[in-house]
Amino acid sequence: MSMVLTIYLQITGIFILMSWALYLPFKSGQFYNGSVYCMAIGAYFSVITVTKFGWPAWIAIPGAVVAAMLFALITAPKLAQVGGFAMVIATIAIIFIVQAIFRNTKYFGGLTGLYGIPMIRGLLPISYCILIIIGIFIYRIEHSRLGKAMDAIRTDKELALSMGINPKNISIFLQVTSGALGGLSGSMYAFTLGFIRPTDFGFTVLLYIWTMLFVGGHQTMWGVVISAPILWALTQFLPSAIAQYTNIIFGIILTIILILRPDGIITKRILSHVVKSYG
Amino acid sequence: MELFTALLLNGLVIGGIYALIVMGFNLLVLVTGVIHYAYAHIVVLSMYIAWLVIQAIGSLALGLFAAFAAAILFIVSTEFLFRPLMRRRAHFSSLIVSVAMAMVITDILSHFINKGQPISLPMVLKTGWADLRTGMISISVANIITLIGAVIMVSVIIILIYNFQQGRAFRAIAQDLKTARLVGIPIKKANTTSFAIAGLLAGVSAVLLIVSLGSAAPNLGNDLALKALAILLFAGTGNLWGGLIASFILGVAESMTFGYLPGQWSNAIAFGMIAVIIMLKPQGLFGTKV
């Protein structure tokens, strides 16, 4: 399999994970961008532990996930309390802060980032196995009592409270899970490319996962599975004359979808039609 | 002591600039429910347009006029995009759409104008005649004009809101949309008018920024927009006076950190402070009106 195709599939997988990380809290009505800075933390953690401390990859990757989860846990209780709009802005601000910290600290490589991460052989099948496992995990959450609780919170928080659902704890759980997925993505990203820069984990990733989630469909988990490969292929395989307009194209696509078809391409209705006709 | 005063004055000027942008922002959020993240980006875009005009024609006055007109034009044209979202009062969607717009603008500025390099505008008023100097402290005419301009614009808006019928309509809509509709206040007209006023404010901001900052970079839009949004939350969404005071607080804080700590950290500290306040007191320091 050619190098280009391998990296394409690998990064598509990473974007699906990141979009799922955005999707989970959004299912309960909260817009949590923490997956982006957890991606940075996971990536830097993996690189530092592998290159400077000599950890083997199979310890570094789970370690990165744990580190990201701990970081998400710091802000989770407060963010769970404030909700909605403040959460969006606070998480965007934290993305900025984390990026600034990594960019200005010599130990983390500064502006040029870190490089020299050894490649793992057979990373592609491993990552897709992980992707499928996580997909099953998310599917099970959606169709469990927790999933119903999330829908309830999104629909009417006060009513959910009166039925004995604890929105704060659920929010904390979802934020930490989102952070864990972010850390995993960051770690895999580091091992795929072999080098990381602080600018990799900022607004570009944010725009990409927003576009993938909202274009694909934010009501179900399958939307991003369709939109991520297509949109990422757009960035990678367009002729170079158009490729420099990538961010602009994504911005325009996102704007058009939000105005004309705000539910995205794969909506709950379409999903239930498909299930009924084939299931 | 001199350094402190110099930094304080500098901070007040920066705060004045933030105050202008936050004013337009606040007005839009208050009346239309649209969180227009790209507002600051449009101001920066207008500055770039002024630069293009100055490059082509060479007249500063024409450039300033072009910036003013461009800002109004752009803001009013984005109103059209937001209409379906305003009807639904879809706050999240409007934020996402405006962030997308902002990234499009930043991308255009980074790639197609001046090859992404920062631009510098002729600073006729910046140094030279009529500077006030005592020791280390120097305020240029431009800074004074900016500060006065900011205060005047803010006062005009506040007078408008409390004394004119359209302003009363704005306050009514901000208080309770459904009741406002019930008593017959024309919502669509109010939306369009507030976009027009915000456009005017953007035009004035662009002109004052050109005169006082003298340069612009593609990142300036993001910088200003995030700070404006953060000030909004910090002070309480929709609180006009609170936004004003908070802008000055942030301006002074930023100036102080810039003076006493290595430059790269001042942004991060400003954001850190804001993130902490947002988490501790989500209604903002002065309480929301929305």
Side-chain angles (χ1 to χ4, degrees):
Chain A
M1 191 179 278
S2 81
M3 190 62 156
V4 170
L5 194 57
T6 313
I7 295 198
Y8 163 75
L9 286 174
Q10 187 75 25
I11 306 252
T12 303
I14 291 179
F15 270 120
I16 294 181
L17 278 180
M18 290 291 291
S19 306
W20 275 341
L22 189 63
Y23 162 73
L24 273 180
F26 196 69
K27 197 119 203 301
S28 74
Q30 298 184 318
F31 201 57
Y32 179 69
N33 296 314
S35 44
V36 178
Y37 55 77
C38 287
M39 186 180 179
I41 296 208
Y44 274 92
F45 184 90
S46 311
V47 175
I48 300 268
T49 52
V50 168
T51 54
K52 302 215 175 148
F53 300 150
W55 287 22
W58 61 273
I59 299 189
I61 296 183
V65 173
V66 171
M69 281 170 78
L70 288 175
F71 192 77
L73 199 57
I74 299 176
T75 54
K78 260 302 155 187
L79 284 178
Q81 219 173 334
V82 299
F85 183 40
M87 184 188 262
V88 188
I89 301 305
T91 46
I92 293 184
I94 300 179
I95 293 178
F96 202 82
I97 297 173
V98 167
Q99 201 181 28
I101 295 179
F102 282 130
R103 193 171 52 220
N104 293 327
T105 319
K106 272 284 198 47
Y107 185 66
F108 295 120
L111 203 57
T112 47
L114 297 168
Y115 53 90
I117 312 163
M119 310 281 233
I120 305 180
R121 272 192 319 158
L123 186 61
L124 190 61
I126 297 179
S127 9
Y128 270 77
C129 281
I130 298 181
L131 194 71
I132 294 178
I133 294 177
I134 292 185
I136 297 178
F137 180 65
I138 294 182
Y139 182 81
R140 297 292 309 214
I141 288 186
E142 274 199 341
H143 294 262
S144 71
R145 292 191 57 183
L146 181 60
K148 293 207 174 69
M150 284 157 61
D151 282 331
I153 298 175
R154 187 184 69 242
T155 316
D156 193 329
K157 196 166 173 188
E158 315 261 319
L159 193 58
L161 262 171
S162 73
M163 307 200 78
I165 297 176
N166 192 338
K168 187 167 175 194
N169 284 359
I170 292 182
S171 174
I172 296 180
F173 170 74
L174 290 173
Q175 287 180 49
V176 172
T177 310
S178 180
L181 287 175
L184 182 63
S185 314
S187 181
M188 298 207 309
Y189 177 81
F191 282 109
T192 307
L193 280 195
F195 63 92
I196 56 177
R197 284 167 310 196
T199 48
D200 291 342
F201 310 112
F203 280 105
T204 315
V205 171
L206 197 67
L207 177 66
Y208 283 7
I209 57 179
W210 282 9
T211 311
M212 285 172 191
L213 180 65
F214 286 104
V215 167
H218 59 84
Q219 292 178 340
T220 75
M221 64 180 274
W222 304 105
V224 301
V225 176
I226 310 264
S227 62
I230 299 179
L231 287 174
W232 183 244
L234 223 72
T235 54
Q236 295 296 90
F237 299 125
L238 275 182
S240 58
I242 311 187
Q244 50 176 333
Y245 295 89
T246 303
N247 282 0
I248 299 181
I249 295 178
F250 270 50
I252 294 178
I253 293 177
L254 187 56
T255 307
I256 293 178
I257 288 277
L258 277 174
I259 294 181
L260 294 179
R261 194 182 160 93
D263 290 332
I265 298 181
I266 311 278
T267 63
K268 257 205 184 124
R269 262 183 44 201
I270 292 187
L271 201 64
S272 58
H273 275 185
V274 168
V275 165
K276 259 186 234 156
S277 12
Y278 292 106
Chain B
M1 188 57 204
E2 264 192 20
L3 182 60
F4 180 80
T5 323
L7 288 176
L8 185 68
L9 289 168
N10 198 31
L12 286 178
V13 174
I14 297 179
I17 295 176
Y18 288 157
L20 273 178
I21 299 192
V22 169
M23 257 296 156
F25 219 71
N26 243 340
L27 188 65
L28 282 179
V29 172
L30 207 55
V31 179
T32 64
V34 165
I35 299 148
H36 201 339
Y37 186 77
Y39 188 76
H41 293 76
I42 293 182
V43 170
V44 175
L45 184 62
S46 312
M47 290 171 73
Y48 268 77
I49 294 202
W51 182 81
L52 284 173
V53 165
I54 294 179
Q55 294 291 92
I57 304 186
S59 148
L60 177 63
L62 206 59
L64 290 180
F65 178 72
F68 188 73
I72 300 182
L73 215 74
F74 281 128
I75 299 267
V76 170
S77 55
T78 53
E79 189 256 339
F80 167 69
L81 273 177
F82 283 117
R83 235 180 255 170
L85 299 172
M86 285 197 285
R87 224 180 293 134
R88 300 199 302 251
R89 289 280 156 174
H91 295 274
F92 271 162
S93 296
S94 65
L95 179 64
I96 298 174
V97 167
S98 47
V99 172
M101 248 188 255
M103 297 205 189
V104 168
I105 295 180
T106 310
D107 217 52
I108 295 179
L109 294 179
S110 314
H111 290 148
F112 302 118
I113 306 188
N114 201 18
K115 305 229 180 3
Q117 303 301 320
I119 58 170
S120 80
L121 300 148
M123 304 189 286
V124 179
L125 299 177
K126 181 95 182 183
T127 51
W129 52 278
D131 271 5
L132 303 171
R133 284 176 203 272
T134 39
M136 258 183 76
I137 311 171
S138 86
I139 322 173
S140 62
V141 175
N143 288 345
I144 298 179
I145 292 182
T146 309
L147 206 51
I148 296 181
V151 172
I152 290 179
M153 287 308 309
V154 167
S155 323
V156 162
I157 296 293
I158 297 194
I159 291 176
L160 171 75
I161 293 219
Y162 283 94
N163 291 350
F164 282 79
Q165 190 181 43
Q166 188 62 308
R168 283 204 293 273
F170 285 169
R171 275 159 56 213
I173 295 175
Q175 258 184 4
D176 193 336
L177 180 62
K178 293 200 179 117
T179 314
R181 209 174 257 153
L182 261 173
V183 291
I185 295 180
I187 309 280
K188 285 198 191 141
K189 179 164 161 242
N191 284 345
T192 324
T193 316
S194 61
F195 262 92
I197 297 182
L200 238 131
L201 279 173
V204 174
S205 312
V207 166
L208 286 179
L209 269 174
I210 293 177
V211 156
S212 67
L213 263 190
S215 71
N219 288 329
L220 187 61
N222 255 340
D223 222 33
L224 288 173
L226 243 111
K227 287 184 187 149
L229 205 43
I231 292 175
L232 206 73
L233 282 170
F234 180 75
T237 320
N239 193 331
L240 290 171
W241 274 121
L244 187 63
I245 299 176
S247 315
F248 283 114
I249 295 179
L250 182 67
V252 170
E254 213 182 273
S255 177
M256 293 289 168
T257 10
F258 195 74
Y260 292 124
L261 288 173
Q264 303 285 16
W265 290 99
S266 60
N267 258 351
I269 291 188
F271 280 116
M273 190 177 87
I274 288 162
V276 167
I277 298 273
I278 290 178
M279 289 200 282
L280 290 180
K281 199 165 192 287
Q283 285 84 26
L285 231 43
F286 304 110
T288 68
K289 291 275 175 66
V290 174

